[in-house]
Amino acid sequence: MDPVSRDLDRETRDSRPQKDSTADLQTQLGDMQIAARRDMLMDDYDPVDEKSDVAEITPDSSTDEPQDLLASDYEAMKARILAPLPDLEPEFETTHTWELENYRSLTRKERGPIFECGGHPWRILLFPFGNNVEHASLYLEQAHEDEDKPPENWYACVQFTLCMWNKIDPTIYYCLTANHRFTAEESDWGFTRFIELRKALAQQWDGLGRPMIENEAVNVTAYVRIYKDPTGVLWHNFINYNSKKETGMVGLRNQGATCYLNSLLQSLYFTNAFRKAIYQIPTENDTEKKNSAWALQRLFYLVQTSEEAVSTQELTASFGWETRHIFEQQDVQELSRILMERMEERMKGTEAENALAKMLVGKMKTYISCINVDYESSRIEDFWDIQLNVSGNKSLDDSFKDYIQVETMDGENKYFAEGHGLQDAKKGVIFESFPQVLHLQLKRFEYDINRDAMMKVNDRYEFPEVFDAAPYLSEGADKSESYLYQLHGVLVHSGDLTAGHYYAFLKPTANGHFYRFDDDKVTRATLKEALEENFGGDYANMANGQTGVRNPYTRTLSTKRSMSAYMLVYIRQSRVKDILLDVGDGDIPTHLAKQLNEEKAALEKRRKDREEQHLYLPISVVTENTFKAFQGFDLTNWESDSGASSTCQTYRVLRASTVGDFTKTVAESLQLPAEQIRLWVMVNRQNKTIRPDQPLPDLNMSISEAHSRYGSRDKPFRFWAETALGLEDGKPPWPNSNPTPGVSALVLIFLKYFNIENQTLQGAGHIYMKKSAKVAEIIPAIQQLMGWSPVKDSMSLSSNSSSGLSSTTNSTAGTPSIQLYEEIKHSMIEPMKAKSTLQQAEIQDGDIVCFQRSLSEKETAAIASTGGYTDARDFYEYLLNRIVVKFYPKITTEQEGSIFSLALSRKMSYDQFAAKVGEHLKVDSTHLRFSTVLSSTGKPKQPVRRNQGLGLSQILMPALGTYASSTQRGDALFYEVLEMSISELETKKNIRVHWLPEGVVKEEPVDILAPKNGVVHDLVASIQKKAGLSEEAVTKLRIYETHGSKITKELEFNAVLASISDYSTLFAELIPEEEANADEGDQAIYAFHFDKDVSKTHGVPFKLVVKPGELFKDTKERLSKRTGIKGKQFEKLRFAVTQRSPYSRPVYINDEDDLSTVVTRSDDMLGLDHVNRTKLFPGKSDSIFIR
């Protein structure tokens, strides 16, 4: 039976808060309502929603019943109104009557006497005057009290009828029936609109001379039947359902439309030998999540160990799927085959090599055997699965008989046997062996020639639990081992071609039960649910007058089942132990478990951090070492999280801890005593720099208080950790521990060194100077810091006011002349005047002074010639415009280092950054072509045109601020190394020609770089190379231009390429023999394909020879040979003569027509009317792929 035969909606019975709650019944198949009187009536009812949280049921139809039934005859009533449910086994049943008196005096809510059924207490619950409705409301509830709670996880699957009847005249009664799964949470169920009060209290019940409630008395009888639950989920509402707890297994989450993938993956997972083989693929060195084997291993491990449903996002991402693929239903068989191929490739050279082939591959023989001579042509092939016809077959055996059916080749269809000439022969397929695990694809979707569309075949199709494959083996096959197969899995599709759902019934153990795997939900299933209910065909035992069952996906009524098997998995009985072997923790790769456990721990840590976030404060700290390792503006890059030594460290600090506690934490990370560390608060200046402002004075202050005093809500809290070189008398000698106001006060200055030779700009350290000191006095401190020899003579500094150059006079050997600059902000680097005081130069705590050596003209020229910078200001400008660009090869390659990053300047011209890339790749930069990267997909956009006026910033971010800039990445480019220079390439034109090797059914695109001013003949050499044509064959080559899938013209070899429209499609083929050797009087006609309407063209157009006097049935034979379309596919074609105009009316041709007499106009064309298969599955051609 259906696992859920009723769809029951929960309700709240009372507007006041109360412990009890009820719900009304909504039916799928229709429940029974009986109103008894002298002309007994049975009424059906439908739900009527008056409130959003209440489902109410009222009668709307009636049928006649026998007149001799009495409500007081409980056995007869029970037989009539509480018929046993098919396929379910009753466990307990009882009947209980509650006699009510003084009806009008009853309270708002009344409970009847407790009675027992199945060892548990029950009672009737009545709202005499309605539960917020103008009907009496009647319910059945389990009567466990607070002190007598039901056992843990208690439930009862109950079919019950509540019947109100006249105690004086038992022929007057009114009954309603329902099914419900009673639990501790859903303790009551019944009918809010049981009986209309106006009718129940009226003088007569439906004109029968007596009221239902007579003398304010009435009886209410409860007929209760408790059923055994064969699956554990009978009538379950699945609220808070835990698959792992109930079944020991978990499901897979649906990403949008991936239920088909989920059912396939569950089938493969529970083929234990397959799972074990996947675990044996070595993936410990796979660091990227683009590897399908790595992703499948992780998925299987999670399904094996997780407590809840598992996501398939990693696996679909490894397939290379984008969001659109997630919402497209792919072909399951094709996906399965591609997945198997990828796994086979990864297993080569490992202990799992050939494991899948041994498990899943069988062999079949295709043969043609002559009847009268001893000659046979045959070919043995491997198969991974078998596609079986459903249409026209009633069972699995019928499909196999159809598959190996022998075709006789005689008459005009004789077979040409080498050495024997034309012979009568038999043609067919026979199996040489079947695999251990047999995958059978049932062709539930077929082209319907009458509807001219793909349709789902819902015909009844039976398959057994045990299947004997031996009758379908060849006589010479090895049958020493039994070919009995037992059913392991049934993959089901419910719905139709346009809307539906996939799920699977699987039997995880050889002697266990079937389970239903429906995305994230796993439930136990009966054998009937797994087999018979997925045979398809008509519904059985439909209620009288019922026109059909509503499809939950298409919302239409149908007498045929919409759910049917589309794939079967059988396991050879003699190999069940090998296939369903135990896969334990020892089979799981250790690196996989370790990696996922680490990820799980990290995820748990992040979750915990989020919960405790209000207790902690993130604090970033820059140290002396950080400053010295950093190259760039300011003290460090506060936004970077690269983990490099130049990156500041961020601490998660408890708000209640003290500044002293945090100082100790920082000191430990620097491996120094806490006394040698002093923390300075960093502030955001108006010029958008971040500099130290003042040291924290009180170590006993809490972090929360320090943040409140010195930090701000909208800015991160940052510190600079100053380090003392040593201790004096056990205390650090902080220079400004006792600051003196005025010009004698000390100021903290950071020093940066621009190393011209190495082209680096890095921190050198920090110094303290008096505000009254001259700028020139910084020079000795720099010399000491850098280890440069001090000046022996007195230092007389002169200032070059025009250049800002500060230089030493009388400098000794080894003491370089030094230039000083102040780093005010990113775009403002100003030279310092040597004779000015620091106060006059407006130097304050945290300011940065940059210094560099002064160079001679010769040194300057030498460095400049290599592209280096000789002035710190120029280098700062370079840093300001520096961008790290990531380069990807446009043609994917496994070559190491093919993906790389370069630091470039936004101001670089095309040739300048191309030269840098060429230098890195060691190729000629003129042969490099670049393409921008589409930000949404990561795929290449159009190639970048070489333009000297175009800077790198304009290439990466075109039309800044417009929509164009948001569609591409601003930090990445694709590159390709060309066989010719860009300049030469610009004289070429890329032309795609579609080569037709076999009629029109197969086309191979050929991309050709031809001169823009060239002719069609320039395309021939590339086509010849692609097709492997001889020089003689080239003379028979034809190239024609098409538009809208119709031929516009045949191109002469001397036609200029510039005349070909960019919107046209070019095709190339060898002129057919029948056209090359056409008889006199033959004419040619252009042909094209269309789908019902001649304006809906598709496919490859072609040219056909029309022979006078030839019947069209003979022309069709030539058409089949000309196009390469054969067999049933060709039989579905219809043919019509029409004109080039898309508005012309087609004239359809019969087999007895002569095409030459129908074609009378110069623009007549032959149209082949058939379904455009590319529109049936839009995007399918490129939607199934796996990296």
Side-chain angles (χ1 to χ4, degrees):
M1 64 169 293
D2 291 331
V4 181
S5 63
R6 302 292 188 268
D7 182 14
L8 305 174
D9 286 343
R10 194 78 178 127
E11 73 166 0
T12 303
R13 287 199 315 271
D14 203 329
S15 58
R16 296 171 298 174
Q18 52 181 291
K19 171 184 168 185
D20 303 306
S21 60
T22 62
D24 282 324
L25 175 67
Q26 292 186 352
T27 65
Q28 289 181 338
L29 303 177
D31 282 333
M32 187 188 308
Q33 168 189 292
I34 301 176
R37 56 183 188 183
R38 286 180 174 84
D39 56 343
M40 317 270 280
L41 296 177
M42 177 188 289
D43 292 338
D44 293 335
Y45 52 85
D46 290 327
V48 178
D49 293 328
E50 292 187 348
K51 298 198 294 283
S52 61
D53 60 343
V54 179
E56 301 159 334
I57 301 171
T58 59
D60 63 357
S61 61
S62 63
T63 58
D64 291 336
E65 286 193 4
Q67 300 182 5
D68 56 353
L69 197 62
L70 300 178
S72 57
D73 187 350
Y74 299 134
E75 291 302 318
M77 282 287 290
K78 181 168 65 176
R80 181 66 183 173
I81 65 176
L82 200 67
L85 296 173
D87 304 314
L88 289 179
E89 181 182 351
E91 192 172 16
F92 307 100
E93 61 181 47
T94 192
T95 303
H96 169 76
T97 298
W98 178 17
E99 298 181 357
L100 290 103
E101 304 287 345
N102 302 317
Y103 191 91
R104 294 179 184 272
S105 301
L106 296 175
T107 60
R108 184 179 182 278
K109 179 169 62 175
E110 295 283 347
R111 287 187 166 89
I114 293 176
F115 61 95
E116 187 271 340
C117 184
H120 295 282
W122 304 86
R123 63 188 169 202
I124 299 169
L125 174 64
L126 171 68
F127 286 75
F129 308 105
N131 180 15
N132 299 321
V133 292
E134 294 180 355
H135 290 66
S137 303
L138 200 57
Y139 310 91
L140 176 69
E141 73 170 355
Q142 57 94 352
H144 285 282
E145 302 294 345
D146 290 342
E147 62 275 4
D148 181 28
K149 292 183 179 179
E152 188 178 0
N153 299 323
W154 172 86
Y155 71 91
C157 297
V158 180
Q159 177 193 26
F160 66 93
T161 296
L162 298 178
C163 187
M164 182 177 286
W165 52 283
N166 186 308
K167 63 191 304 180
I168 300 172
D169 184 357
T171 61
I172 297 177
Y173 59 84
Y174 187 81
C175 305
L176 290 179
T177 300
N179 305 331
H180 182 60
R181 183 187 186 91
F182 285 85
T183 64
E185 292 76 24
E186 292 192 341
S187 58
D188 42 60
W189 205 259
F191 314 97
T192 300
R193 292 188 168 210
F194 180 77
I195 190 169
E196 192 175 356
L197 284 171
R198 179 179 56 81
K199 291 179 65 178
L201 297 172
Q203 293 297 317
Q204 296 188 47
W205 173 260
D206 280 357
L208 299 178
R210 307 185 80 117
M212 172 67 77
I213 303 174
E214 189 169 355
N215 299 328
E216 295 197 40
V218 71
N219 287 351
V220 177
T221 299
Y223 299 87
V224 180
R225 179 178 293 133
I226 299 177
Y227 285 95
K228 290 183 178 180
D229 183 0
T231 63
V233 291
L234 180 64
W235 305 328
H236 204 301
N237 62 14
F238 293 105
I239 297 174
N240 298 323
Y241 178 77
N242 187 319
S243 295
K244 185 76 170 186
K245 180 180 178 182
E246 300 297 333
T247 67
M249 295 168 284
V250 298
L252 299 172
R253 290 200 288 270
N254 193 332
Q255 296 186 52
T258 57
C259 49
Y260 68 96
L261 175 65
N262 290 349
S263 60
L264 174 65
L265 291 173
Q266 291 282 25
S267 169
L268 297 175
Y269 172 83
F270 284 105
T271 307
N272 295 358
F274 179 88
R275 191 195 334 164
K276 186 172 182 178
I278 294 300
Y279 283 154
Q280 290 173 341
I281 300 175
T283 58
E284 50 266 59
N285 296 323
D286 292 329
T287 56
E288 291 193 8
K289 297 183 179 181
K290 296 180 180 179
N291 183 289
S292 302
W294 178 84
L296 191 57
Q297 278 186 350
R298 287 168 62 91
L299 178 70
F300 281 179
Y301 173 79
L302 289 172
V303 172
Q304 188 167 331
T305 60
S306 180
E307 295 296 319
E308 55 187 24
V310 178
S311 171
T312 58
Q313 285 184 339
E314 279 189 351
L315 183 65
T316 54
S318 75
F319 291 172
W321 287 4
E322 301 166 9
T323 303
R324 67 183 182 92
H325 300 112
I326 300 300
F327 291 92
E328 291 175 359
Q329 288 194 351
Q330 319 289 356
D331 183 270
V332 176
Q333 182 189 19
E334 188 175 349
L335 176 62
S336 175
R337 286 183 178 178
I338 295 175
L339 184 61
M340 296 301 173
E341 289 175 7
R342 297 298 181 271
M343 296 304 106
E344 278 274 280
E345 289 176 10
R346 289 304 308 272
M347 289 178 179
K348 287 180 180 177
T350 72
E351 60 178 316
E353 186 170 5
N354 295 324
L356 299 189
K358 291 176 183 176
M359 188 191 320
L360 299 166
V361 173
K363 294 186 181 296
M364 67 170 67
K365 181 173 76 172
T366 304
Y367 66 88
I368 300 177
S369 180
C370 293
I371 297 173
N372 301 317
V373 297
D374 185 15
Y375 182 87
E376 180 179 285
S377 173
S378 63
R379 182 177 70 254
I380 295 179
E381 299 175 305
D382 291 342
F383 68 85
W384 288 81
D385 52 34
I386 304 172
Q387 291 192 64
L388 298 174
N389 289 322
V390 172
S391 183
N393 297 307
K394 295 182 179 180
S395 67
L396 189 63
D397 281 306
D398 287 348
S399 290
F400 267 96
K401 291 173 184 176
D402 175 58
Y403 198 93
I404 65 171
Q405 185 177 2
V406 178
E407 175 189 351
T408 301
M409 304 176 69
D410 56 9
E412 296 182 356
N413 194 32
K414 286 186 177 182
Y415 173 66
F416 182 81
E418 188 175 349
H420 300 280
L422 294 173
Q423 294 288 330
D424 293 341
K426 292 182 178 181
K427 177 183 179 182
V429 173
I430 195 70
F431 293 97
E432 293 295 323
S433 68
F434 289 103
Q436 300 174 39
V437 180
L438 182 59
H439 284 181
L440 302 177
Q441 303 282 347
L442 307 182
K443 295 166 72 173
R444 282 286 180 183
F445 296 95
E446 284 192 349
Y447 174 76
D448 188 326
I449 192 169
N450 296 319
R451 292 185 174 91
D452 197 15
M454 294 292 290
M455 301 294 292
K456 184 179 179 184
V457 180
N458 281 320
D459 298 346
R460 183 176 177 84
Y461 181 88
E462 298 181 7
F463 47 90
E465 186 179 7
V466 177
F467 167 65
D468 186 4
Y472 312 109
L473 289 166
S474 68
E475 293 180 1
D478 180 6
K479 300 180 183 178
S480 59
E481 187 179 339
S482 170
Y483 273 96
L484 284 176
Y485 283 81
Q486 72 178 44
L487 186 64
H488 174 67
V490 181
L491 277 63
V492 181
H493 176 266
S494 177
D496 62 14
L497 183 72
T498 57
H501 180 59
Y502 292 84
Y503 50 91
F505 290 93
L506 300 169
K507 192 175 180 182
T509 58
N511 301 314
H513 301 284
F514 274 97
Y515 289 85
R516 173 171 167 155
F517 293 82
D518 190 349
D519 286 337
D520 56 356
K521 188 167 59 187
V522 183
T523 57
R524 185 177 155 186
T526 64
L527 186 63
K528 182 181 178 182
E529 288 172 339
L531 272 76
E532 187 177 332
E533 292 191 0
N534 298 307
F535 288 166
D538 295 329
Y539 283 101
N541 304 321
M542 290 183 62
N544 291 334
Q546 192 171 356
T547 58
V549 175
R550 189 173 299 280
N551 186 313
Y553 306 104
T554 62
R555 310 304 301 166
T556 57
L557 290 173
S558 175
T559 58
K560 283 188 177 293
R561 292 181 182 274
S562 66
M563 71 287 286
S564 52
Y566 72 93
M567 180 176 169
L568 304 175
V569 181
Y570 281 93
I571 298 178
R572 197 172 180 179
Q573 281 188 346
S574 58
R575 301 296 180 93
V576 167
K577 291 183 179 179
D578 298 330
I579 299 301
L580 299 183
L581 75 171
D582 290 334
V583 181
D585 293 343
D587 297 302
I588 300 172
T590 54
H591 73 275
L592 192 66
K594 180 182 177 183
Q595 188 179 56
L596 283 164
N597 288 335
E598 288 174 353
E599 291 177 9
K600 185 177 180 181
L603 188 66
E604 178 62 23
K605 184 179 183 300
R606 286 196 296 271
R607 183 196 64 78
K608 187 177 180 181
D609 289 348
R610 283 195 301 271
E611 291 178 353
E612 299 177 349
Q613 188 172 0
H614 64 289
L615 301 176
Y616 290 85
L617 182 70
I619 299 178
S620 298
V621 178
V622 60
T623 66
E624 192 81 8
N625 294 334
T626 306
F627 175 58
K628 288 181 178 180
F630 176 64
Q631 176 166 290
F633 300 102
D634 243 336
L635 302 184
T636 186
N637 183 356
W638 297 99
E639 308 300 328
S640 175
D641 58 354
S642 63
S645 58
S646 61
T647 305
C648 62
Q649 186 170 353
T650 300
Y651 298 83
R652 188 166 175 261
V653 186
L654 197 63
R655 288 175 177 269
S657 63
T658 65
V659 172
D661 295 334
F662 181 53
T663 302
K664 291 178 182 177
T665 302
V666 175
E668 287 175 6
S669 65
L670 296 175
Q671 297 180 344
L672 291 172
E675 292 79 8
Q676 288 183 234
I677 301 296
R678 181 168 65 163
L679 299 178
W680 287 62
V681 177
M682 307 287 288
V683 296
N684 292 68
R685 296 183 177 179
Q686 290 184 350
N687 61 6
K688 297 182 180 180
T689 61
I690 302 171
R691 305 288 172 83
D693 181 56
Q694 59 179 306
L696 286 174
D698 185 1
L699 295 180
N700 295 319
M701 183 190 305
S702 71
I703 291 295
S704 180
E705 183 182 353
H707 181 252
S708 177
R709 285 190 186 184
Y710 304 108
S712 59
R713 288 187 177 182
D714 59 337
K715 296 290 191 299
F717 204 26
R718 300 180 173 119
F719 289 151
W720 172 57
E722 182 182 10
T723 305
L725 296 178
L727 299 176
E728 295 179 3
D729 299 328
K731 296 182 179 179
W734 301 123
N736 61 345
S737 54
N738 296 303
T740 304
V743 294
S744 61
L746 297 177
V747 62
L748 169 66
I749 300 174
F750 288 92
L751 298 174
K752 281 186 182 178
Y753 174 44
F754 172 44
N755 189 322
I756 301 174
E757 289 80 4
N758 297 333
Q759 294 289 291
T760 58
L761 176 69
Q762 291 176 295
H766 70 279
I767 58 173
Y768 285 91
M769 300 286 292
K770 290 183 178 180
K771 287 189 175 182
S772 57
K774 298 287 183 68
V775 169
E777 294 179 37
I778 298 176
I779 300 293
I782 292 174
Q783 291 170 336
Q784 183 179 357
L785 199 64
M786 299 301 294
W788 294 337
S789 302
V791 180
K792 292 181 181 179
D793 301 323
S794 60
M795 294 173 53
S796 171
L797 292 105
S798 60
S799 174
N800 186 327
S801 59
S802 63
S803 65
L805 182 70
S806 297
S807 59
T808 60
T809 59
N810 302 320
S811 61
T812 62
T815 305
S817 299
I818 296 174
Q819 295 172 278
L820 301 178
Y821 302 90
E822 182 186 0
E823 181 186 313
I824 300 173
K825 60 179 180 178
H826 297 177
S827 57
M828 186 179 293
I829 313 300
E830 296 291 340
M832 301 183 71
K833 297 180 180 179
K835 294 183 179 180
S836 299
T837 64
L838 295 180
Q839 188 168 14
Q840 291 171 338
E842 299 181 352
I843 299 297
Q844 57 181 315
D845 282 332
D847 281 355
I848 298 174
V849 172
C850 174
F851 63 92
Q852 71 170 81
R853 286 195 311 110
S854 298
L855 300 179
S856 65
E857 293 183 4
K858 184 178 180 180
E859 289 175 318
T860 301
I863 293 173
S865 64
T866 61
Y869 298 94
T870 58
D871 190 296
R873 290 168 293 185
D874 296 334
F875 192 76
Y876 268 104
E877 185 178 5
Y878 158 71
L879 293 179
L880 183 63
N881 292 287
R882 182 177 59 175
I883 180 172
V884 177
V885 182
K886 197 161 190 176
F887 290 89
Y888 299 89
K890 194 170 184 179
I891 301 172
T892 305
T893 175
E894 298 296 328
Q895 184 179 350
E896 188 176 351
S898 58
I899 300 175
F900 58 93
S901 298
L902 293 178
L904 305 171
S905 172
R906 290 184 176 87
K907 290 190 174 183
M908 281 184 170
S909 66
Y910 182 98
D911 284 350
Q912 285 174 328
F913 84 78
K916 290 285 187 181
V917 177
E919 181 182 346
H920 178 86
L921 293 173
K922 296 181 174 58
V923 298
D924 189 342
S925 62
T926 61
H927 286 57
L928 287 171
R929 181 166 66 171
F930 302 95
S931 302
T932 51
V933 182
L934 196 62
S935 57
S936 58
T937 64
K939 294 182 177 179
K941 292 181 69 177
Q942 291 296 322
V944 177
R945 294 182 63 86
R946 178 174 175 269
N947 186 342
Q948 280 301 328
L950 208 60
L952 180 59
S953 61
Q954 295 167 297
I955 292 171
L956 292 173
M957 298 293 288
L960 191 62
T962 67
Y963 178 77
S965 64
S966 65
T967 63
Q968 70 181 50
R969 284 180 57 179
D971 62 347
L973 289 171
F974 280 98
Y975 70 89
E976 53 186 320
V977 182
L978 306 175
E979 295 180 357
M980 62 185 72
S981 68
I982 291 291
S983 302
E984 185 181 355
L985 181 65
E986 289 174 350
T987 66
K988 305 285 185 179
K989 178 180 182 180
N990 186 60
I991 297 177
R992 171 167 287 189
V993 180
H994 297 264
W995 166 245
L996 305 174
E998 302 172 12
V1000 299
V1001 294
K1002 183 179 180 182
E1003 54 182 287
E1004 300 173 0
V1006 184
D1007 289 312
I1008 304 169
L1009 277 175
K1012 289 182 178 179
N1013 56 356
V1015 294
V1016 173
H1017 189 271
D1018 295 329
L1019 308 177
V1020 173
S1022 296
I1023 298 172
Q1024 181 181 8
K1025 182 179 178 181
K1026 170 71 176 177
L1029 300 178
S1030 64
E1031 291 296 333
E1032 182 182 355
V1034 169
T1035 61
K1036 301 177 183 179
L1037 188 67
R1038 169 166 58 205
I1039 301 175
Y1040 56 92
E1041 183 180 356
T1042 71
H1043 187 76
S1045 295
K1046 292 181 180 178
I1047 298 176
T1048 54
K1049 62 181 176 181
E1050 297 178 44
L1051 298 174
E1052 299 291 339
F1053 279 9
N1054 60 358
V1056 294
L1057 295 176
S1059 65
I1060 300 174
S1061 169
D1062 291 337
Y1063 302 100
S1064 296
T1065 305
L1066 299 185
F1067 291 92
E1069 65 172 353
L1070 293 179
I1071 299 173
E1073 290 294 331
E1074 68 168 11
E1075 184 180 340
N1077 303 320
D1079 298 331
E1080 188 175 349
D1082 291 352
Q1083 58 176 317
I1085 186 175
Y1086 289 144
F1088 69 99
H1089 308 262
F1090 69 95
D1091 187 351
K1092 297 180 183 178
D1093 189 329
V1094 293
S1095 64
K1096 297 178 180 178
T1097 58
H1098 61 91
V1100 181
F1102 58 96
K1103 192 175 183 181
L1104 178 71
V1105 173
V1106 180
K1107 294 183 176 294
E1110 181 182 61
L1111 294 181
F1112 193 67
K1113 64 179 181 180
D1114 298 323
T1115 306
K1116 284 166 64 175
E1117 291 183 11
R1118 292 194 296 109
L1119 267 169
S1120 177
K1121 183 178 179 182
R1122 175 73 177 89
T1123 59
I1125 306 173
K1126 300 175 182 178
K1128 292 182 179 180
Q1129 189 178 358
F1130 187 81
E1131 292 172 5
K1132 297 173 183 177
L1133 270 60
R1134 299 171 64 202
F1135 302 89
V1137 172
T1138 181
Q1139 286 74 49
R1140 182 175 293 278
S1141 169
Y1143 306 106
S1144 61
R1145 299 184 63 179
V1147 178
Y1148 285 89
I1149 308 169
N1150 298 317
D1151 284 355
E1152 302 305 318
D1153 289 336
D1154 180 354
L1155 182 59
S1156 64
T1157 62
V1158 182
V1159 177
T1160 57
R1161 297 174 44 164
S1162 60
D1163 64 340
D1164 277 347
M1165 305 179 76
L1166 178 66
L1168 283 66
D1169 183 359
H1170 60 104
V1171 173
N1172 178 8
R1173 291 188 174 273
T1174 57
K1175 81 173 182 181
L1176 294 175
F1177 301 100
K1180 180 178 177 235
S1181 60
D1182 66 345
S1183 63
I1184 299 177
F1185 58 96
I1186 300 176
R1187 282 197 186 96

